[in-house]
Amino acid sequence: MKRVRGREIFLFTDNFVFESTFYKGHSRASPKLSEIILRLRKAERDGGLVLHVIHVAGTRMKHW
């Protein structure tokens, strides 16, 4: 964890639900997704880092 302490990490995803759930903090429809978000938030807090989750359309990802 020392390698990421104090860093900003950008996580790009083509999953809009994941991005919105990350910023909302939980999902009523998917307990597993809520667990993933909780683990990321704990890593953010315990690791002293900042996570940015950014949605990029799948069609744009294919372009690159």
Side-chain angles (χ1 to χ4, degrees):
M1 204 47 117
K2 290 180 183 179
R3 295 172 120 183
V4 295
R5 186 166 297 284
R7 308 280 175 127
E8 279 187 277
I9 297 175
F10 292 83
L11 195 152
F12 294 91
T13 179
D14 66 343
N15 189 318
F16 178 74
V17 174
F18 177 80
E19 181 207 30
S20 59
T21 302
F22 180 79
Y23 289 109
K24 186 167 78 168
H26 69 281
S27 169
R28 277 195 249 162
S30 176
K32 286 185 179 184
L33 180 55
S34 290
E35 178 61 30
I36 291 168
I37 299 304
L38 179 61
R39 290 174 66 192
L40 282 172
R41 290 296 188 180
K42 284 181 180 178
E44 189 176 34
R45 180 194 65 206
D46 297 344
L49 54 100
V50 177
L51 287 174
H52 300 280
V53 177
I54 300 163
H55 174 255
V56 179
T59 52
R60 279 201 121 154
M61 286 187 177
K62 287 179 186 178
H63 176 46
W64 296 100

